[in-house]
Amino acid sequence: MNVDRILLPATQAASLAEQHRCALFDDLVPWWERHSVDRECGGYYSCLKRDGRAYAGDKFTWMIARQVWMFSHLVNRHEPRPEWLEIARHGASFLLEHAVADDGRICYRATREGRPLAWHEPLNTACFVAIGLAELAAAARDASLWQRAVEIYERVRPQLGQPTDTPLLGYPLDERFHLHAHDMIRLTVAWVLNELQPEPRWEDDLTASAESVVGRHWKPELEAFLENVSPAGSALLDRPEGRLVHPGHAMETAWMLMEVARRRGDAVLMQAAVDITLSSLERGWDDAFGGVRYLVNVDGTPTCPPYADVKLWWVHGEALCAALLGWAYTGREELGRWYQRLHDYVFARFPDGELGEWYGYLNREGSVMHTAKADGRKGFFHLPRSLFLAYQLLTRAAAAPPSADDRAPGTTV
């Protein structure tokens, strides 16, 4: 397997690149520029109606941090627009003034004006603050922001991968688990930091996460990727929490592993990431109504949350990324077919053609459940990141078409 070339048909790549460009730069970015920035109290609104009007003032730190990262990333990787840099600075100023305490603690949620409401600190909140400040540091050429970002990450870094009594989507039990979520957020932060300022410690984190994902959570004998396993990596199938398959999480990690594998020329890791993607799609796809379920159990037993069949925007964005990257880097026909199936479902159902941006929540049948465009979980991160990654890859494929021998035969989009 050659992981250095992009194996996509050039004509299709050019057409898809334009579709993704339009969705991101003609729809999403202007929508968030218009509606999300709170010019009176600082930061960004976390709760926005379908038309962009705020329906609550409370602000969520992780949502602000991810938006800082996304606008900064567009400055660094696409175009240094002053308005994007200003928006990123605006969000970071609110974080540093109101959400990051002098002792390093991170406020999870604040009032509109910035008064802390909750110091509950999930690890991923600190990690998202770290990547937001780090990306802005590069965009603004501000070494002090970079140092602050590294300090925040180093404070929580030792906790990632440690045994916990609380499985993903659960509550404390008299049991010890290893969470895939820790590997995924460490991958996210280490990749961002290493792309901005390469260091052996970030490479070490990428390696640790990749080895844990493949060695602990990917179970080839079950053809399944398990979210919660024992600290040593054994399956806990006698526990409902141990049977959990989270297709969106798995595919988010899978495409990040593909990027690590591509840069390192690691065909074995690329193959594992592709296998994780295909397993997640096959288990998660809803044959009756289309789309990818939020949660499934490895043995087909009922999942505990009643919302397991909801079709979420971010799950489908990550699935599109994983299928597209896998197809592009390996040329495997089944990934091309999966990408087409996902593409058709996503672009037919999630975009709001009337008021802009995309819906976040569909019921199992594919109808819109509620119309809020931001709600403390949905924000300016998963979807624009997915669209931008796809746009970048497709643009490269269109500009440098592979030879006829390299292309994946029989795949059309």
Side-chain angles (χ1 to χ4, degrees):
M1 180 188 298
N2 188 322
V3 299
D4 295 325
R5 292 175 293 179
I6 297 177
L7 308 176
L8 291 179
T11 301
Q12 293 173 351
S15 175
L16 287 168
E18 174 57 20
Q19 184 181 30
H20 284 73
R21 185 209 64 76
C22 180
L24 179 58
F25 294 113
D26 295 347
D27 180 10
L28 264 66
V29 170
W31 195 95
W32 286 88
E33 287 177 310
R34 284 194 306 270
H35 299 301
S36 71
V37 182
D38 185 347
R39 295 295 179 187
E40 295 179 3
C41 298
Y44 318 126
Y45 293 106
S46 294
C47 302
L48 298 170
K49 295 181 180 181
R50 181 188 175 200
D51 62 4
R53 289 178 297 162
Y55 63 86
D58 289 4
K59 291 168 180 171
F60 293 79
T61 295
W62 69 317
M63 305 306 295
I64 295 174
R66 297 201 293 188
Q67 187 165 335
V68 170
W69 179 84
M70 191 69 238
F71 273 107
S72 300
H73 189 65
L74 292 177
V75 170
N76 290 329
R77 300 294 179 179
H78 182 66
E79 184 179 347
R81 296 188 189 180
E83 62 269 30
W84 292 347
L85 180 58
E86 188 277 328
I87 289 173
R89 287 182 185 275
H90 187 80
S93 295
F94 186 90
L95 291 178
L96 292 172
E97 182 176 355
H98 300 292
V100 182
D102 291 339
D103 61 5
R105 290 181 304 140
I106 307 293
C107 168
Y108 176 71
R109 178 175 166 185
T111 65
R112 183 186 174 195
E113 295 76 19
R115 179 177 63 83
L117 288 172
W119 286 100
H120 165 62
E121 187 185 344
L123 291 175
N124 59 3
T125 300
C127 288
F128 286 127
V129 172
I131 66 168
L133 296 180
E135 197 79 39
L136 177 58
R141 301 179 182 178
D142 186 333
S144 65
L145 280 176
W146 173 264
Q147 185 60 40
R148 196 71 182 275
V150 172
E151 289 172 357
I152 289 170
Y153 177 50
E154 289 287 11
R155 178 174 172 268
V156 300
R157 187 180 178 213
Q159 302 174 58
L160 297 172
Q162 294 301 309
T164 175
D165 62 0
T166 306
L168 187 76
L169 305 179
Y171 43 83
L173 299 171
D174 187 14
E175 185 77 79
R176 290 295 179 267
F177 300 90
H178 186 278
L179 306 187
H180 158 238
H182 285 193
D183 296 326
M184 186 177 74
I185 194 64
R186 185 169 51 196
L187 267 175
T188 301
V189 182
W191 180 263
V192 168
L193 297 181
N194 206 46
E195 286 290 288
L196 295 170
Q197 292 193 30
E199 289 188 30
R201 55 178 162 168
W202 314 142
E203 286 286 355
D204 290 345
D205 279 0
L206 293 172
T207 299
S209 291
E211 290 178 350
S212 180
V213 165
V214 177
R216 283 191 177 98
H217 294 274
W218 171 232
K219 304 297 182 187
E221 70 278 9
L222 299 174
E223 295 185 349
F225 188 89
L226 300 178
E227 277 292 314
N228 304 302
V229 296
S230 79
S234 57
L236 300 170
L237 300 182
D238 56 335
R239 300 276 183 276
E241 295 83 0
R243 303 172 195 159
L244 183 65
V245 174
H246 196 326
H249 256 195
M251 287 185 280
E252 184 173 359
T253 285
W255 72 252
M256 287 190 279
L257 291 181
M258 291 178 197
E259 289 291 80
V260 174
R262 176 187 59 81
R263 184 163 59 76
R264 294 181 173 180
D266 188 337
V268 174
L269 182 59
M270 181 69 76
Q271 182 64 57
V274 166
D275 290 343
I276 291 168
T277 298
L278 289 171
S279 168
S280 301
L281 287 168
E282 288 160 2
R283 288 184 176 277
W285 187 259
D286 187 338
D287 289 326
F289 299 101
V292 180
R293 291 183 172 92
Y294 179 43
L295 303 169
V296 295
N297 275 357
V298 66
D299 58 356
T301 55
T303 52
C304 293
Y307 48 81
D309 288 335
V310 170
K311 311 294 169 59
L312 299 176
W313 84 103
W314 73 265
V315 169
H316 289 78
E318 304 301 339
L320 277 172
C321 268
L324 179 62
L325 267 64
W327 180 32
Y329 295 151
T330 70
R332 290 181 59 169
E333 293 184 35
E334 62 265 48
L335 286 166
R337 290 192 292 270
W338 271 115
Y339 178 77
Q340 179 170 339
R341 183 183 294 182
L342 286 161
H343 174 278
D344 292 348
Y345 181 90
V346 168
F347 280 90
R349 288 172 172 80
F350 283 99
D352 181 350
E354 181 182 354
L355 296 179
E357 234 277 341
W358 289 27
Y359 299 113
Y361 305 86
L362 310 181
N363 62 21
R364 186 182 178 192
E365 291 78 14
S367 299
V368 176
M369 292 177 63
H370 67 85
T371 61
K373 300 291 176 55
D375 61 2
R377 291 187 177 273
K378 183 180 184 295
F380 191 66
F381 180 68
H382 281 285
L383 183 55
R385 182 179 67 165
S386 298
L387 291 172
F388 185 54
L389 182 67
Y391 169 70
Q392 289 178 302
L393 184 145
L394 291 162
T395 300
R396 295 199 306 272
S403 66
D405 292 338
D406 288 335
R407 295 176 187 172
T411 52
T412 59
V413 176

